Amino acid sequence: MCTVTISRGNGALVATMNRDEALTRAPELRPEIAEGVNGGLWMGPRDSERGGTWMGVNDQGLVACLLNAYQPGESLLPDTTGRFRTRGEIIPALLSAGDTSGALRWLQDELDVRAYPSFTLLVAGLDSAVSMEWLGEHGPAITKLTDEWVLRSSSGWDSLDVRRWREQQFAQWRESGEPHFGTLPSFHVLQEPGHEDRSPLMKRLWAATRSITQARVLRGAGRVELRYWAEPTPDTREPATHCTLRLAPARTLAKAH
């Protein structure tokens, strides 16, 4: 249950992600800078229960966002059978692959999608972006993303209707001139009365938007930024955490483990 927008252009990449989770889920850990398995640095928040993450960015300007996908027959609850590995481990491993070329190679040659429940993975750099969809028996499928703006959303409840509703709201947001609160697209704090269960800033009896994370890659400034809004509300403006890395020279790895 999440919503991601990505925009690219004029030497900048901005990815913003609402993480929706059950209210019973363990608290999140705020973003921190970590060393990649194969060197380099990356930033991202963490799941305090299993240690993984749903979004991160490295010092190569590579951004990755992971959304759960919900296929018929798949449980909406965390796997307790031991059949699957946690999807949260994918992002740290991917960000150790270097730049976008290394990440694509890792996705094609190293990632065993069968070890995980269904997911949608967005991987973006300043010059290219792709989406990988793993829908159980169907896929995985990797698609190039060429539009200036990309929206992806998921919901474990009334999935198709929720995605369509958010897509309509996103289109209206763009038509209205793409208003922002600082760097935060106002779309991400939209919680329309009467439609809180469908809004990007989601609120239900058993689940809600737990955080908003944003990665910004700025070629001209030579830096990468990560902003994090904990427990956001419709009035949220300033991030609770702001981390920065310098863009490093290109580092593409043949393999990442």
Side-chain angles (χ1 to χ4, degrees):
M1 299 181 286
C2 296
T3 300
V4 177
T5 63
I6 297 176
S7 65
R8 292 186 302 127
N10 299 320
L13 159 65
V14 181
T16 309
M17 181 170 184
N18 289 27
R19 185 202 185 205
D20 303 339
E21 269 296 350
L23 298 177
T24 55
R25 190 73 180 256
E28 299 177 4
L29 300 178
R30 293 188 178 191
E32 60 182 17
I33 298 173
E35 185 172 353
V37 175
N38 295 286
L41 300 172
W42 69 278
M43 305 181 288
R46 294 277 192 168
D47 175 6
S48 65
E49 184 174 348
R50 306 192 71 176
T53 189
W54 50 98
M55 180 177 180
V57 58
N58 69 12
D59 59 4
Q60 301 286 294
L62 178 69
V63 178
C65 307
L66 189 143
L67 303 85
N68 294 353
Y70 300 96
Q71 298 302 296
E74 287 187 340
S75 174
L76 302 183
L77 301 174
D79 175 48
T80 58
T81 66
R83 176 186 174 190
F84 295 114
R85 293 164 61 174
T86 175
R87 286 169 287 208
E89 69 183 22
I90 294 175
I91 299 275
L94 174 65
L95 293 176
S96 290
D99 59 12
T100 50
S101 297
L104 185 59
R105 185 179 299 114
W106 186 85
L107 291 176
Q108 294 172 326
D109 299 340
E110 300 290 322
L111 179 61
D112 180 9
V113 296
R114 296 169 297 177
Y116 305 96
S118 299
F119 63 81
T120 297
L121 178 64
L122 301 176
V123 182
L126 285 168
D127 301 314
S128 63
V130 299
S131 170
M132 169 184 268
E133 287 194 313
W134 165 238
L135 304 178
E137 298 178 356
H138 307 290
I142 297 178
T143 305
K144 288 185 178 181
L145 304 174
T146 58
D147 292 339
E148 178 187 1
W149 277 95
V150 172
L151 168 69
R152 290 293 185 274
S153 185
S154 69
S155 173
W157 170 80
D158 208 1
S159 179
L160 182 58
D161 181 65
V162 169
R163 293 202 314 269
R164 286 176 174 170
W165 193 89
R166 290 175 181 171
E167 288 167 0
Q168 292 172 355
Q169 297 303 310
F170 182 67
Q172 292 178 16
W173 175 78
R174 293 205 62 194
E175 290 173 0
S176 68
E178 303 172 2
H180 282 59
F181 300 127
T183 68
L184 180 63
S186 63
F187 169 76
H188 282 270
V189 289
L190 172 65
Q191 191 177 85
E192 185 168 323
H195 294 286
E196 294 90 347
D197 51 1
R198 288 170 167 75
S199 295
L201 190 66
M202 186 270 286
K203 184 178 180 180
R204 299 172 187 162
L205 291 176
W206 62 94
T209 298
R210 301 286 293 273
S211 66
I212 301 174
T213 305
Q214 181 183 80
R216 302 175 75 230
V217 183
L218 307 171
R219 175 179 282 145
R223 70 174 183 267
V224 178
E225 302 176 346
L226 192 92
R227 289 175 167 83
Y228 175 82
W229 293 263
E231 304 296 338
T233 71
D235 296 323
T236 289
R237 298 294 183 266
E238 295 300 318
T241 303
H242 182 188
C243 307
T244 303
L245 288 174
R246 292 185 58 133
L247 272 174
R251 177 180 57 85
T252 301
L253 300 181
K255 290 187 177 183
H257 300 283

